[in-house]
Short mmCIF file of all heavy atoms in Angstrom, two decimals:
data_model
loop_
_atom_site.label_atom_id
_atom_site.label_comp_id
_atom_site.label_asym_id
_atom_site.label_seq_id
_atom_site.Cartn_x
_atom_site.Cartn_y
_atom_site.Cartn_z
N ASP E 1 59.88 -5.35 99.10
CA ASP E 1 60.15 -3.96 99.51
C ASP E 1 61.36 -3.38 98.78
O ASP E 1 61.42 -2.17 98.52
CB ASP E 1 60.39 -3.88 101.01
CG ASP E 1 59.11 -3.99 101.83
OD1 ASP E 1 58.02 -3.90 101.24
OD2 ASP E 1 59.21 -4.16 103.06
N ARG E 2 62.33 -4.23 98.47
CA ARG E 2 63.53 -3.71 97.80
C ARG E 2 63.55 -4.00 96.29
O ARG E 2 64.58 -3.89 95.65
CB ARG E 2 64.80 -4.22 98.48
CG ARG E 2 65.07 -5.69 98.39
CD ARG E 2 66.42 -5.99 99.05
NE ARG E 2 66.87 -7.35 98.83
CZ ARG E 2 67.51 -7.77 97.74
NH1 ARG E 2 67.77 -6.93 96.76
NH2 ARG E 2 67.90 -9.03 97.63
N GLY E 3 62.37 -4.32 95.76
CA GLY E 3 62.23 -4.41 94.31
C GLY E 3 62.56 -5.75 93.69
O GLY E 3 62.65 -5.86 92.46
N VAL E 4 62.73 -6.79 94.51
CA VAL E 4 62.97 -8.13 93.98
C VAL E 4 61.71 -8.64 93.29
O VAL E 4 60.60 -8.47 93.78
CB VAL E 4 63.39 -9.09 95.12
CG1 VAL E 4 63.51 -10.52 94.61
CG2 VAL E 4 64.69 -8.62 95.75
N GLU E 5 61.87 -9.26 92.12
CA GLU E 5 60.75 -9.85 91.40
C GLU E 5 60.49 -11.25 91.98
O GLU E 5 61.37 -12.10 91.96
CB GLU E 5 61.06 -9.97 89.90
CG GLU E 5 61.31 -8.64 89.22
CD GLU E 5 61.73 -8.81 87.77
OE1 GLU E 5 61.41 -9.87 87.18
OE2 GLU E 5 62.38 -7.90 87.24
N VAL E 6 59.28 -11.46 92.48
CA VAL E 6 58.93 -12.73 93.12
C VAL E 6 57.79 -13.39 92.36
O VAL E 6 56.79 -12.74 92.03
CB VAL E 6 58.52 -12.51 94.60
CG1 VAL E 6 58.17 -13.86 95.25
CG2 VAL E 6 59.64 -11.83 95.38
N THR E 7 57.95 -14.68 92.10
CA THR E 7 56.92 -15.49 91.46
C THR E 7 56.53 -16.62 92.40
O THR E 7 57.40 -17.27 92.99
CB THR E 7 57.42 -16.09 90.13
OG1 THR E 7 57.74 -15.02 89.23
CG2 THR E 7 56.37 -16.99 89.49
N TYR E 8 55.23 -16.85 92.55
CA TYR E 8 54.73 -18.00 93.29
C TYR E 8 54.31 -19.08 92.28
O TYR E 8 53.56 -18.80 91.34
CB TYR E 8 53.49 -17.64 94.11
CG TYR E 8 53.74 -16.91 95.40
CD1 TYR E 8 55.02 -16.57 95.84
CD2 TYR E 8 52.66 -16.56 96.22
CE1 TYR E 8 55.21 -15.90 97.04
CE2 TYR E 8 52.85 -15.89 97.41
CZ TYR E 8 54.12 -15.56 97.82
OH TYR E 8 54.30 -14.90 99.00
N LEU E 9 54.79 -20.30 92.50
CA LEU E 9 54.36 -21.46 91.71
C LEU E 9 53.73 -22.46 92.66
O LEU E 9 54.40 -23.01 93.54
CB LEU E 9 55.54 -22.10 90.99
CG LEU E 9 55.21 -23.36 90.19
CD1 LEU E 9 54.23 -23.06 89.05
CD2 LEU E 9 56.47 -24.02 89.65
N LEU E 10 52.41 -22.69 92.49
CA LEU E 10 51.68 -23.63 93.34
C LEU E 10 51.40 -24.90 92.55
O LEU E 10 50.81 -24.85 91.46
CB LEU E 10 50.37 -23.00 93.82
CG LEU E 10 50.54 -21.95 94.93
CD1 LEU E 10 50.81 -20.58 94.32
CD2 LEU E 10 49.33 -21.90 95.81
N VAL E 11 51.81 -26.02 93.11
CA VAL E 11 51.65 -27.28 92.39
C VAL E 11 50.20 -27.73 92.39
O VAL E 11 49.70 -28.25 91.39
CB VAL E 11 52.58 -28.35 93.00
CG1 VAL E 11 52.29 -29.74 92.42
CG2 VAL E 11 54.04 -27.96 92.75
N THR E 12 49.47 -27.54 93.50
CA THR E 12 48.05 -27.90 93.54
C THR E 12 47.21 -26.65 93.81
O THR E 12 47.73 -25.60 94.17
CB THR E 12 47.73 -28.93 94.64
OG1 THR E 12 47.60 -28.27 95.91
CG2 THR E 12 48.81 -30.00 94.73
N ASP E 13 45.91 -26.79 93.66
CA ASP E 13 44.97 -25.72 93.99
C ASP E 13 44.40 -25.87 95.39
O ASP E 13 43.50 -25.12 95.78
CB ASP E 13 43.80 -25.71 92.99
CG ASP E 13 44.26 -25.41 91.57
OD1 ASP E 13 45.24 -24.67 91.40
OD2 ASP E 13 43.62 -25.92 90.63
N GLY E 14 44.88 -26.87 96.13
CA GLY E 14 44.38 -27.06 97.49
C GLY E 14 42.95 -27.53 97.56
O GLY E 14 42.24 -27.25 98.53
N ASP E 15 42.51 -28.30 96.57
CA ASP E 15 41.10 -28.67 96.49
C ASP E 15 40.69 -29.68 97.56
O ASP E 15 39.49 -29.90 97.78
CB ASP E 15 40.77 -29.24 95.10
CG ASP E 15 41.67 -30.39 94.71
OD1 ASP E 15 42.82 -30.13 94.31
OD2 ASP E 15 41.22 -31.55 94.80
N ALA E 16 41.66 -30.28 98.26
CA ALA E 16 41.32 -31.22 99.33
C ALA E 16 41.43 -30.58 100.71
O ALA E 16 41.35 -31.27 101.72
CB ALA E 16 42.22 -32.46 99.26
N GLY E 17 41.59 -29.27 100.76
CA GLY E 17 41.77 -28.59 102.03
C GLY E 17 40.52 -27.84 102.45
O GLY E 17 39.53 -27.76 101.71
N GLY E 18 40.57 -27.30 103.65
CA GLY E 18 39.47 -26.46 104.13
C GLY E 18 38.45 -27.21 104.93
O GLY E 18 38.38 -28.44 104.93
N ASN E 19 37.62 -26.45 105.61
CA ASN E 19 36.58 -27.01 106.47
C ASN E 19 35.17 -26.78 105.93
O ASN E 19 34.19 -27.13 106.58
CB ASN E 19 36.70 -26.40 107.87
CG ASN E 19 37.98 -26.84 108.56
OD1 ASN E 19 38.02 -27.90 109.16
ND2 ASN E 19 39.02 -26.02 108.48
N GLU E 20 35.08 -26.17 104.76
CA GLU E 20 33.79 -25.86 104.15
C GLU E 20 33.36 -27.05 103.29
O GLU E 20 33.79 -27.21 102.16
CB GLU E 20 33.90 -24.59 103.31
CG GLU E 20 32.63 -24.23 102.56
CD GLU E 20 31.41 -24.18 103.45
OE1 GLU E 20 31.26 -23.21 104.18
OE2 GLU E 20 30.63 -25.15 103.40
N ARG E 21 32.53 -27.93 103.85
CA ARG E 21 32.19 -29.17 103.16
C ARG E 21 31.00 -29.02 102.23
O ARG E 21 30.55 -30.00 101.64
CB ARG E 21 31.90 -30.29 104.17
CG ARG E 21 32.98 -30.60 105.16
CD ARG E 21 34.42 -30.49 104.67
NE ARG E 21 34.71 -31.18 103.43
CZ ARG E 21 35.79 -30.93 102.70
NH1 ARG E 21 36.64 -29.99 103.06
NH2 ARG E 21 36.01 -31.60 101.60
N THR E 22 30.45 -27.79 102.09
CA THR E 22 29.35 -27.61 101.14
C THR E 22 29.88 -27.44 99.73
O THR E 22 29.10 -27.45 98.77
CB THR E 22 28.51 -26.37 101.52
OG1 THR E 22 29.31 -25.20 101.43
CG2 THR E 22 27.96 -26.52 102.92
N LEU E 23 31.19 -27.26 99.57
CA LEU E 23 31.78 -27.09 98.26
C LEU E 23 32.33 -28.41 97.74
O LEU E 23 32.91 -29.18 98.51
CB LEU E 23 32.92 -26.07 98.31
CG LEU E 23 32.56 -24.62 98.67
CD1 LEU E 23 33.83 -23.80 98.83
CD2 LEU E 23 31.66 -24.02 97.60
N ASP E 24 32.16 -28.67 96.43
CA ASP E 24 32.83 -29.83 95.85
C ASP E 24 34.28 -29.44 95.60
O ASP E 24 34.71 -28.32 95.86
CB ASP E 24 32.13 -30.31 94.58
CG ASP E 24 32.10 -29.26 93.47
OD1 ASP E 24 32.86 -28.27 93.55
OD2 ASP E 24 31.33 -29.44 92.51
N ASN E 25 35.07 -30.38 95.07
CA ASN E 25 36.49 -30.11 94.90
C ASN E 25 36.77 -28.94 93.98
O ASN E 25 37.67 -28.14 94.23
CB ASN E 25 37.20 -31.38 94.38
CG ASN E 25 37.33 -32.43 95.45
OD1 ASN E 25 36.34 -32.97 95.91
ND2 ASN E 25 38.55 -32.73 95.86
N SER E 26 36.00 -28.81 92.90
CA SER E 26 36.24 -27.71 91.97
C SER E 26 35.91 -26.38 92.63
O SER E 26 36.62 -25.38 92.43
CB SER E 26 35.43 -27.90 90.69
OG SER E 26 34.03 -27.91 90.97
N GLY E 27 34.87 -26.35 93.44
CA GLY E 27 34.53 -25.12 94.15
C GLY E 27 35.58 -24.73 95.16
O GLY E 27 35.92 -23.54 95.30
N MET E 28 36.12 -25.71 95.87
CA MET E 28 37.18 -25.43 96.84
C MET E 28 38.44 -24.95 96.13
O MET E 28 39.11 -24.03 96.58
CB MET E 28 37.47 -26.67 97.68
CG MET E 28 38.59 -26.47 98.71
SD MET E 28 38.31 -25.10 99.85
CE MET E 28 36.96 -25.77 100.83
N ALA E 29 38.77 -25.56 95.00
CA ALA E 29 39.96 -25.15 94.25
C ALA E 29 39.84 -23.70 93.80
O ALA E 29 40.79 -22.92 93.95
CB ALA E 29 40.16 -26.06 93.04
N GLU E 30 38.70 -23.33 93.29
CA GLU E 30 38.50 -21.95 92.84
C GLU E 30 38.61 -20.98 94.01
O GLU E 30 39.24 -19.91 93.90
CB GLU E 30 37.14 -21.81 92.17
CG GLU E 30 36.87 -20.40 91.64
CD GLU E 30 35.52 -20.29 90.95
OE1 GLU E 30 34.80 -21.29 90.87
OE2 GLU E 30 35.21 -19.18 90.49
N LEU E 31 38.01 -21.34 95.15
CA LEU E 31 38.06 -20.49 96.33
C LEU E 31 39.50 -20.31 96.80
O LEU E 31 39.94 -19.19 97.11
CB LEU E 31 37.22 -21.10 97.45
CG LEU E 31 37.29 -20.41 98.82
CD1 LEU E 31 36.82 -18.97 98.72
CD2 LEU E 31 36.45 -21.18 99.84
#
């Protein structure tokens, strides 16, 4: 809100998370 430049750095894509088991790891990572 006050104009600070913010960067997000994510170490993983979270491919082992979620409850949607119809997706393989690459599909979950993309999602």
Side-chain angles (χ1 to χ4, degrees):
D1 284 349
R2 66 177 189 84
V4 174
E5 298 175 23
V6 180
T7 298
Y8 281 0
L9 177 64
L10 285 86
V11 171
T12 82
D13 297 328
D15 55 282
N19 292 276
E20 177 52 77
R21 304 324 310 163
T22 63
L23 296 174
D24 61 15
N25 287 66
S26 61
M28 179 56 70
E30 181 179 0
L31 174 60

